Amino acid sequence: MTKRACGFVIFRRIRGMIEYLLMQVSYGEHHWTPPKGHVDPGESDMETALRETEEEAGLSASDLNIFENVKHELNYHVNGKPKVVVYWLAELLDPEKPIRLSHEHQTFKWLSLEEACVVAKYQDMQNALKYFNDHILKNLS
Ligand SMILES: Nc1ncnc2c1ncn2[C@@H]1O[C@H](COP(=O)(O)OP(=O)(O)OP(=O)(O)OP(=O)(O)OC[C@H]2O[C@@H](n3cnc4c(N)ncnc43)[C@H](O)[C@@H]2O)[C@@H](O)[C@H]1O
């Protein structure tokens, strides 16, 4: 059965720059992703994205401008099992709002597109970041 996870690619506009939030997990190979997590039984994808973002980054819906029509899906395998991750684009309304990590993450960074692509490592995550960045440049700047 395919595992499903959902989250937000969160960006902020600060000092004339666009920056993306990536967080480093505190387990395993300490990889970096935007806030996201597994869909619990009975939850919608959006409910999961909101819950995980609150739990992992301390950001609630009122902190974000969520672009519900701008989403990107990643498909990969974890331990031989298929996983799908759905990300929506969201802007942090107050760019200085502090991030509050849970035990699941050891640190976070706000990064330019180029920096985020290096840190995110996986090609499909890089493609997602570029897709969202194109949307911001075409529609929001
Ligand atoms: N190794 C571990 N040790 C201890 N506790 C653990 C653990 N793994 C998970 N947990 C526990 O599971 C919980 C996570 O639950 P959730 O927080 O609900 O779910 P998640 O973000 O989807 O989890 P995960 O970090 O595993 O997912 P990802 O796909 O990014 O990452 C899963 C794998 O896929 C790889 N991956 C990530 N993005 C990828 C991509 N785009 N392409 C290919 N591989 C990718 C990652 O490098 C990683 O190896 C945590 O509370 C933690 O306690």
Side-chain angles (χ1 to χ4, degrees):
M1 198 172 137
T2 302
K3 280 195 169 184
R4 191 171 185 86
C6 302
F8 294 115
V9 167
I10 298 174
F11 74 98
R12 67 177 185 178
R13 288 185 258 201
I14 190 163
R15 293 180 284 275
M17 304 275 293
I18 294 166
E19 296 180 339
Y20 294 91
L21 176 64
L22 287 183
M23 308 194 307
Q24 185 177 34
V25 301
S26 47
Y27 50 83
E29 58 199 57
H30 304 288
H31 61 290
W32 295 74
T33 73
K36 59 118 177 63
H38 291 128
V39 177
D40 282 346
E43 256 184 349
S44 70
D45 287 353
M46 182 58 77
E47 285 167 343
T48 300
L50 288 167
R51 175 180 55 74
E52 291 284 349
T53 300
E54 173 88 52
E55 287 173 8
E56 296 185 346
L59 300 176
S60 60
S62 61
D63 295 315
L64 303 170
N65 182 14
I66 296 166
F67 299 91
E68 291 197 42
N69 297 326
V70 188
K71 69 175 182 175
H72 198 85
E73 201 172 289
L74 273 58
N75 290 274
Y76 52 94
H77 285 76
V78 179
N79 298 326
K81 293 185 183 149
K83 179 167 183 175
V84 55
V85 183
V86 177
Y87 286 112
W88 281 275
L89 180 65
E91 179 171 10
L92 183 61
L93 295 171
D94 172 4
E96 306 279 5
K97 169 98 184 174
I99 302 302
R100 190 195 67 230
L101 295 181
S102 72
H103 68 280
E104 286 186 39
H105 294 90
Q106 59 190 32
T107 191
F108 70 91
K109 285 182 178 173
W110 286 104
L111 299 164
S112 68
L113 174 67
E114 293 72 21
E115 293 167 334
C117 285
V118 172
V119 167
K121 190 174 87 172
Y122 296 105
Q123 188 60 52
D124 57 354
M125 189 69 237
Q126 294 182 37
N127 293 344
L129 289 163
K130 287 173 186 164
Y131 170 80
F132 289 128
N133 196 68
D134 282 350
H135 181 85
I136 295 166
L137 295 182
K138 281 186 196 141
N139 300 290
L140 304 176
S141 55

